[in-house]
Each structure stands twice: as C-alpha cells, then as structure tokens.
Amino acid sequence: MFKENYNVIGVMSGTSLDGVDLAYIAFNKKDQWTYQILHSETVAYFPEWVEQLKNAFHFSTSELEALNVSYTKLLASIIADFISKHQLVAIDAVCSHGHTILHQPHNGFTLQIGNLPLLRDLLPYTIVCDFRVQDVALGGQGAPLVPIGDELLFSEYDYCLNLGGFSNISFHENCTRMAFDISPVNTVLNYYANAMGLPYDDGGAIAKTGTIHSELLAQLNDLDFYARSYPKSLGMEFVQEIIFPLLHSFPISVPDVLATFVEHIAVQVAAVCQPNTKLLITGGGAYHSFLIDRLQQHLPSVQITIPEDKTIQFKEALIFALLGVLRLRNEINVLASVTGAQRDHSSGQIYS
C-alpha cells in the first residue's frame, strides 16, 4: 500500500544555463495529486561552469566523462547546501534531472550529466535520476517528460506551454496526452543578449526596439523540423548546426535578430493552439513581456494564464520531483503518446 504524502527535492538544470533550480515539495495523493512548493531557489552557475556547459557539445568522450564526474560533485554540493540552508529533515528522495549535453534520439543516444551513482555516495538520501535514457532505449525521443505532470497537476488548462531553453507544449488530442518541442527560445535569445554584455533581454526590451526581418522570418518558419509530425524533440545540436548558421547569415543588428526570432517563436506556438482555449505559460520566457504580447496578438481568443512566480520558475523542478515519486511507486511517468516510445513506462534510476 503506497503512502499518501511525500516530501521530495526536485532538481533541474535547463539549457538556458541560468543555474540549478531546486524545489522542496510536499505531494499528497488522495483522489488526485496535489502539491505545495515549500522552499525553492535557483543557484546560478559560476561563469567558468557556464562556459564548460556551453562548449561541452564539442567535448571528446574522455572530456565528457571527466565533466560528468565534476558536475555530479558540483550538483551534490549544491543540493547539500540547499538542504542545510533550509534545515530540511523529512526527505523521501532527491529527484534530479541533471544537465543535458547531448540529445540525439535518432541515434539512440541522450546524455544528461550529473546522474552518476556518485551522487548517491555524496548524498545520504534516496536518489531518483536519469529519466530520459530508458525512453530513448524504447525507441522514444526521451522528451518531453513534463506532460505527465501537466496531466496530473494542471489538467484545468487546454495547453501547458513552457518557455525555457526551448518551448514545449502538452495538450489532449482524441483523449490522449500529446506533447512536443516547438522551437528554441532562450537558447537563442540569451545568446544574443550575452553578445551585448547582458545575461538576458529583460522583458524583451531590446527585441521590442528591433524590426522584424521578413526574409529571415520566412526561412526560420520554413525549416524542416516545423513540418515534421510529432512526437519530436529538440537539443542544442539543432541550435548550433541549423539555427545559428541561419541567423549569422543575415547581416542585421542584434535588436532585429531578437525581434525576428521572438516573432518566429510566437508564430510557431500560435500554429499549435486552437482558438477559444486556455493556455498556461511557465518557464523563464513567461517574464519576456514582449514575447507574451506577440503571442496574445497571434492568439486573440486564447485565455493566457501566467501563474505565480514559484510555478513559473520551478515548474520543471516540480514535475521532475513528481516523476521521481511516480518512479518510487513504479507508476507510469513517461507517456509513449508524447515521446513515441514503444509503450508507457516508469523511467529513472533509483539509487537507494
């Protein structure tokens, strides 16, 4: 008989490289799952770590192995500090996503560093991690994994959109949960803000001053990925090999690039959403007011909801915490309908 209450720590590092998100969450399961985020914070990466994680896409196998060990140690230290700072005692598990370096499901491969058994040796708690590998082995995309959380925690919305390093969306179609990655978001927007010496384009202030370049926008919207049927997912390879070369081929200003790419994001999201529906938006992009304005312009009849700060900032940590709890219960936490795997399954390594 499973218990009703779980206290777990969800840990997430996204492709936007803003840091490690940690959330201490109380889950309750009676008729349905409910949650309360009790403590949360984002621990920013030191600049040298940002550079390593940015460039790890190009690392050799031996360099990646060494990075995996050092990153696992870093993650353990961050988690231990979080536990100490908030004086956490009741911890059923630490549920950690790790940080994605390579994502090539078409080659049967995905790599999230920070998920080594070493994490268990450094932290005296049950660890649940490495959620994506099993799905890829079952022929799936290994992503997106958040939709099970949308299904169980946010079912009142027709669409759940996350605007992080990439945009991803989940929704019901023919009584089945569907989901996929839509386009890059902060992986591109932050790159150009960084080029201007800023961590990000606050509220889209720079993008708002730019002019949309119609030919660049047309070429972005015409990329093969957007015509493919779902399930489908994106990784940094798509940004490095396709998006950046295309953007760099146009000799236009940074504000114009940002304005054009924001419009591209809005166009691609709008192509998914049906009119007269409810849309929940979370992730760092929810603070990009210019992007939200463009989305509302493209979706005039859609009711857009941006929740309170904790849910915006820590939704992915929240949901990976839930994935960990479901794994401990040996219940389905990955949906074949969204990843394309052979079957629904309960994924993740458990280090007791």
Side-chain angles (χ1 to χ4, degrees):
M1 188 73 173
F2 293 125
K3 62 179 187 174
E4 292 183 351
N5 300 300
Y6 295 85
N7 295 296
V8 299
I9 299 173
V11 186
M12 176 69 193
S13 174
T15 47
S16 53
L17 292 174
D18 53 351
V20 178
D21 293 336
L22 303 104
Y24 179 60
I25 301 153
F27 287 106
N28 177 268
K29 174 65 186 296
K30 289 184 181 176
D31 295 331
Q32 61 185 31
W33 285 102
T34 59
Y35 72 92
Q36 184 179 3
I37 300 176
L38 302 174
H39 300 285
S40 56
E41 67 177 288
T42 298
V43 178
Y45 289 119
F46 289 116
E48 55 266 29
W49 267 108
V50 173
E51 287 307 307
Q52 280 196 81
L53 296 175
K54 270 185 182 178
N55 296 322
F57 170 76
H58 303 291
F59 282 12
S60 66
T61 300
S62 61
E63 288 172 328
L64 281 176
E65 289 172 351
L67 180 67
N68 202 349
V69 171
S70 59
Y71 184 79
T72 301
K73 292 178 179 177
L74 172 71
L75 208 53
S77 174
I78 289 172
I79 295 167
D81 288 346
F82 178 76
I83 292 169
S84 176
K85 176 180 178 179
H86 297 287
Q87 300 180 342
L88 306 182
V89 177
I91 301 174
D92 290 300
V94 175
C95 311
S96 180
H97 169 269
H99 185 85
T100 298
I101 298 297
L102 299 171
H103 185 64
Q104 302 170 7
H106 54 287
N107 294 324
F109 182 74
T110 187
L111 172 64
Q112 287 71 47
I113 60 173
N115 290 325
L116 296 175
L118 175 63
L119 194 59
R120 167 198 54 200
D121 300 334
L122 297 171
L123 294 169
Y125 305 99
T126 295
I127 308 294
V128 190
C129 63
D130 220 7
F131 295 98
R132 299 188 187 275
V133 172
Q134 179 174 290
D135 191 74
V136 172
L138 288 170
Q141 292 284 309
L145 300 188
V146 167
I148 187 70
D150 294 337
E151 178 83 10
L152 297 177
L153 301 178
F154 301 101
S155 59
E156 67 267 35
Y157 297 98
D158 298 295
Y159 299 96
C160 292
L161 173 69
N162 185 72
L163 297 173
F166 298 89
S167 55
N168 51 71
I169 197 165
S170 81
F171 53 94
H172 262 109
E173 185 176 79
N174 300 323
C175 300
T176 301
R177 197 77 190 180
M178 305 302 293
F180 59 95
D181 286 347
I182 299 178
S183 77
V185 181
N186 291 333
T187 47
V188 173
L189 302 183
N190 289 356
Y191 171 86
Y192 281 92
N194 295 167
M196 299 184 73
L198 299 169
Y200 53 88
D201 181 11
D202 190 6
I206 300 171
K208 194 172 183 178
T209 68
T211 301
I212 295 170
H213 192 286
S214 58
E215 178 58 27
L216 174 56
L217 179 62
Q219 289 193 32
L220 285 166
N221 289 332
D222 199 40
L223 290 172
D224 291 343
F225 177 82
Y226 302 119
R228 283 168 45 193
S229 59
Y230 46 84
K232 56 184 178 178
S233 61
L234 290 167
M236 279 304 296
E237 294 90 334
F238 179 75
V239 177
Q240 297 281 357
E241 297 170 4
I242 296 175
I243 296 294
F244 283 155
L246 176 56
L247 296 179
H248 294 160
S249 70
F250 284 80
I252 60 178
S253 70
V254 169
D256 289 356
V257 173
L258 289 171
T260 304
F261 205 80
V262 164
E263 190 69 9
H264 168 62
I265 296 165
V267 167
Q268 293 305 322
V269 171
V272 179
C273 299
Q274 295 296 314
N276 302 309
T277 52
K278 295 180 180 179
L279 170 65
L280 176 72
I281 299 180
T282 55
Y287 295 110
H288 196 298
S289 54
F290 180 59
L291 172 55
I292 302 303
D293 287 346
R294 295 309 305 150
L295 280 170
Q296 192 68 83
Q297 286 294 315
H298 284 280
L299 297 167
S301 69
V302 171
Q303 180 183 323
I304 293 177
T305 297
I306 297 176
E308 86 291 344
D309 282 349
K310 279 188 178 181
T311 301
I312 292 175
Q313 295 174 28
F314 298 101
K315 183 182 175 219
E316 287 191 297
L318 162 69
I319 290 183
F320 277 99
L322 177 62
L323 261 64
V325 171
L326 294 173
R327 180 69 184 95
L328 291 173
R329 294 164 62 97
N330 200 32
E331 294 179 355
I332 289 168
N333 63 1
V334 180
L335 301 173
S337 61
V338 304
T339 70
Q342 297 165 14
R343 54 179 170 81
D344 293 345
H345 56 103
S346 186
S347 185
Q349 291 288 338
I350 301 175
Y351 301 137
S352 297

